[in-house]
Amino acid sequence: MLKVHNQPSLAKRTGLVLFCLLCSVILSAMPLDAVEIEGFGSLIANGGYALQLADEVVLSGNPDTSYIPASTIKVLTSLMALEILGPEYRFVTRFFIDPDKMLYIQGEGDPFLTSEMVTRMAVQLKNSGITEVETIVLDDSAFTLETPPPGSTGTSNPYDAHNSALAVNFNALPFKVTADSRVLAAEKQTPLLPMMEDLGRNYPAGNYRVNVSGFPSGKNHSNILRYSGELITTLFTLQGIKINNGFKKGTTPREARSILVYESEKDVAELVRLCLFFSNNFIANQLYLSCGARIHGFPATWEKAGRAAREYITLQLQLQPEEIHMEDGSGLSTDNRISPAAMLTVLNRFMPYATLMKRQEDTYLKSGTLTGVYCYVGYFGTVGNFSPFVFFLNQMHNNRELLLHLLRKEYLDTFF
């Protein structure tokens, strides 16, 4: 039920209005002018909520019950990345060469290794005097991941993309198929690759972006490394670097000479903004894994990331395991749990970075959606005057947008 905490002056002004507001229901997703008004319980059949004004939680329901947060857990992942890695931290990709002209590319988990970035790497290598190499050796040993991301269902959808220390374009392969069954590149910055032709021949006409891990891998390396290798060799060749014998998987020997340390053009603050704006599962889990590696050392593993998360939650946020349970950094796992009160703690600590969230009308907002899970967390107000809120619905009826609409309207009308 509705709980209004002790704040007499505020209660006098808003108690009746908020009680009437949140004791109203708009069934499912019907238009506002075509619904019957019912009791509050019909709106939130299984869920919790909280609203904080200044330092007071003035509105809450089931605040200490934990729910599946879906992608709203990305706010916690982002907070960890900002505080553990630092907002100005930039991922690096390292290049080495040996006397036999073997070029080693050592990834360290850059979440934003796009086609454009690979082209810029090639330009820098060419400018440093690298014009011919024998073989490109792909070194992804900085991550040791024995399983897919928790919650991944193995589909070809990009949201199911797997993680790696060396991965390009979020492990999502773009291509298009013409009406006469020809497979073509779907974007100008990413050239046609053999992998596109192999996968595209099984698709009807259309434009696609697929998770490369959603298909069987070859014998020599994973589809992740195949995609990385084909893209790197193609773009390097286009920039005038001759590659005699393609690419292969391997580790960098100690005797290899460092020739380039490529810094990502996106720092962690910008990666967080992109992660939250697009709700990108791949970026979120790369950040999550990297936090584990920063605290517990390389190679990054799911276990180290989970351990780092538990330590951060208990030591930094002063919360207990029953208040937050974190299986992955993206929210794809249905084993993630967090209470509305715990999420308010996260939002209060994230407040200096609130503007990294996606802005929707007068609200900074992060949504979370899975089957039977519909969540919103974010802030009303402006910089210096933010009020965090939480809606966790673990039910089949998705009423979050209507509830947010009504609460936003009443909140703005009452306090601004």
Side-chain angles (χ1 to χ4, degrees):
M1 292 296 294
L2 180 70
K3 296 196 298 185
V4 179
H5 293 251
N6 292 331
Q7 191 175 357
S9 61
L10 183 60
K12 289 179 181 179
R13 290 190 296 136
T14 66
L16 180 60
V17 174
L18 288 173
F19 180 83
C20 294
L21 167 68
L22 291 174
C23 285
S24 300
V25 63
I26 298 180
L27 298 176
S28 301
M30 298 173 64
L32 288 172
D33 59 354
V35 299
E36 296 181 2
I37 304 301
E38 300 291 345
F40 176 71
S42 298
L43 182 60
I44 302 182
N46 181 34
Y49 58 94
L51 170 66
Q52 177 181 315
L53 301 178
D55 293 328
E56 291 289 331
V57 178
V58 298
L59 196 66
S60 67
N62 299 322
D64 300 318
T65 302
S66 293
Y67 298 96
I68 301 170
S71 281
T72 62
I73 202 73
K74 288 184 174 76
V75 180
L76 174 54
T77 305
S78 297
L79 180 61
M80 288 172 53
L82 288 161
E83 295 198 346
I84 293 174
L85 302 176
E88 297 179 353
Y89 175 76
R90 295 176 188 269
F91 286 83
V92 298
T93 304
R94 303 178 188 276
F95 292 78
F96 303 82
I97 199 161
D98 69 12
D100 297 322
K101 290 189 175 180
M102 304 287 280
L103 179 67
Y104 298 86
I105 305 179
Q106 189 180 76
E108 292 188 7
D110 188 347
F112 211 82
L113 203 56
T114 62
S115 297
E116 296 93 331
M117 301 305 107
V118 174
T119 296
R120 288 167 191 168
M121 290 173 175
V123 170
Q124 290 190 26
L125 284 170
K126 181 74 177 298
N127 290 342
S128 71
I130 303 298
T131 58
E132 181 179 0
V133 299
E134 189 61 28
T135 303
I136 289 179
V137 182
L138 305 174
D139 184 349
D140 64 351
S141 59
F143 283 19
T144 302
L145 307 178
E146 296 180 351
T147 65
S152 172
T153 56
T155 73
S156 61
N157 292 313
Y159 62 73
D160 263 337
H162 293 192
N163 296 87
S164 174
L166 184 61
V168 296
N169 292 330
F170 321 108
N171 279 333
L173 183 74
F175 60 87
K176 62 183 176 182
V177 182
T178 66
D180 59 353
S181 299
R182 289 181 299 124
V183 179
L184 305 175
E187 54 188 32
K188 63 180 182 180
Q189 67 269 30
T190 304
L192 181 65
L193 305 175
M195 192 174 203
M196 294 178 185
E197 296 178 299
D198 287 347
L199 298 183
R201 66 167 60 104
N202 298 314
Y203 281 81
N207 289 296
Y208 300 94
R209 189 175 296 273
V210 301
N211 162 31
V212 296
S213 297
F215 303 88
S217 294
K219 294 180 180 180
N220 297 325
H221 36 62
S222 69
N223 281 349
I224 293 175
L225 282 189
R226 179 186 176 188
Y227 184 16
S228 299
E230 289 185 3
L231 183 68
I232 289 169
T233 55
T234 301
L235 290 176
F236 278 28
T237 300
L238 289 173
Q239 292 302 316
I241 298 176
K242 183 180 179 182
I243 302 165
N244 295 324
N245 288 299
F247 64 90
K248 66 178 182 179
K249 177 182 172 66
T251 55
T252 306
R254 290 185 178 180
E255 62 270 18
R257 176 172 57 91
S258 176
I259 55 173
L260 175 66
V261 178
Y262 182 87
E263 284 194 351
S264 174
E265 296 187 13
K266 309 289 185 186
D267 61 18
V268 163
E270 180 63 9
L271 290 170
V272 163
R273 187 187 70 80
L274 294 167
C275 174
L276 295 177
F277 188 90
F278 294 105
S279 199
N280 188 292
N281 292 341
F282 177 81
I283 293 177
N285 276 327
Q286 292 288 105
L287 292 173
Y288 178 68
L289 288 160
S290 297
C291 287
R294 170 63 65 87
I295 298 298
H296 297 294
F298 285 105
T301 66
W302 294 115
E303 187 278 329
K304 289 178 183 177
R307 189 162 19 122
R310 290 190 297 273
E311 292 166 354
Y312 180 83
I313 289 164
T314 57
L315 298 177
Q316 301 301 320
L317 300 182
Q318 297 291 299
L319 295 171
Q320 299 304 310
E322 59 268 23
E323 296 177 276
I324 301 179
H325 175 74
M326 198 173 188
E327 283 286 319
D328 77 309
S330 73
L332 198 57
S333 173
T334 55
D335 290 329
N336 290 318
R337 291 290 188 280
I338 184 169
S339 69
M343 181 56 84
L344 275 187
T345 298
V346 173
L347 289 169
N348 275 292
R349 188 143 177 155
F350 191 78
M351 203 173 290
Y353 307 104
T355 56
L356 296 177
M357 279 189 179
K358 187 175 184 179
R359 188 165 177 82
Q360 179 177 305
E361 298 181 18
D362 42 45
T363 306
Y364 288 97
L365 190 67
K366 181 70 193 81
S367 63
T369 307
L370 293 169
T371 301
V373 179
Y374 307 101
C375 306
Y376 274 155
V377 306
Y379 306 89
F380 294 122
T382 57
V383 175
N385 189 28
F386 281 130
S387 295
F389 64 87
V390 179
F391 297 129
F392 288 152
L393 303 181
N394 286 190
Q395 60 191 46
M396 293 312 296
H397 291 295
N398 178 11
N399 297 313
R400 68 183 177 190
E401 190 66 36
L402 297 173
L403 180 57
L404 181 66
H405 170 81
L406 291 174
L407 187 56
R408 178 195 286 125
K409 182 177 184 297
E410 184 57 35
Y411 173 78
L412 293 176
D413 288 349
T414 304
F415 299 104
F416 285 91

